[in-house]
Amino acid sequence: MKKHLCAAVLTAALVPALAACGSGTEDARDQAPSGSPTSGSPTTAEAALTVTDPWVKAAPSGMTAAFGTLVNEGTSDLTVASASTDVNEMTELHETVENEDGSMAMRPKEGGFVIPAGGSLTLQPGGDHLMLMGLTKPLEAGTTVTITLTLGDGTSTEVEATVKAFDGADEKYQNGGES
């Protein structure tokens, strides 16, 4: 008898608590079916990442770079682990560092670009950027390049970047080559 009484008391206590956890207001149930995201709320790292003002430096051949501002609209840090396009053979994430002699040089960014939750990271000439090496066709001002950004969680997102004429960004590479 004690077992049945305890079970009945426990059930009576848990049912309202579980019901309260599992249901919202009538309005909330009408907005989206259970388990599906509501419009406008990012549910993946991909959905949390946006890029403002994406652009690529025009170049006839060889290599060039892509820039813009990576914006993390989510509540967790995001890492851009790699990038690719269909206009070049290899893309690297680069940072600009100071050499022992005080000169500035570019090198691959170990660990990728980390964008803090609710924050941003600017890719710009002379700073962090995407290096597009081995161009397979000339990149002319006014055209666009589709850049695929792959995040640390394996998701990816595509960005349309405008190709622009730009005279700057003639930086030296850590191995001594020039852009």
Side-chain angles (χ1 to χ4, degrees), residues 29-114:
R29 281 190 299 234
D30 291 340
Q31 288 177 3
S34 177
S36 68
T38 57
S39 177
S41 60
T43 58
T44 65
E46 173 188 358
L49 178 67
T50 60
V51 182
T52 60
D53 302 320
W55 66 281
V56 175
K57 179 183 174 188
S61 62
M63 65 182 85
T64 191
F67 311 99
T69 301
L70 305 173
V71 180
N72 179 354
E73 297 172 357
T75 57
S76 300
D77 292 354
L78 294 177
T79 300
V80 174
S82 64
S84 62
T85 78
D86 64 354
V87 300
N88 66 304
E89 296 170 359
M90 182 171 63
T91 304
E92 289 183 351
L93 283 59
H94 276 194
E95 65 182 340
T96 304
V97 296
E98 187 174 348
N99 287 323
E100 290 179 17
D101 66 1
S103 64
M104 300 303 284
M106 290 183 277
R107 68 178 182 199
K109 174 73 172 164
E110 296 296 324
F113 295 139
V114 177

Side-chain angles (χ1 to χ4, degrees), residues 23-25 40 50-51 60 77 81-82 101 105 110 120 124 127 140 142 145 147 168 172:
S23 69
T25 65
T50 60
V51 182
D77 292 354
S82 64
D101 66 1
E110 296 296 324
S120 64
Q124 62 188 355
E140 298 176 1
V145 173
I147 302 170
K172 296 191 184 311

Side-chain angles (χ1 to χ4, degrees), residues 140-153:
E140 298 176 1
T143 61
T144 59
V145 173
T146 301
I147 302 170
T148 301
L149 300 174
T150 302
L151 304 178
D153 68 359

Side-chain angles (χ1 to χ4, degrees), residues 160-172:
E160 291 294 318
T162 302
V163 178
K164 297 181 180 182
F166 184 72
D167 291 331
D170 193 22
E171 297 92 352
K172 296 191 184 311

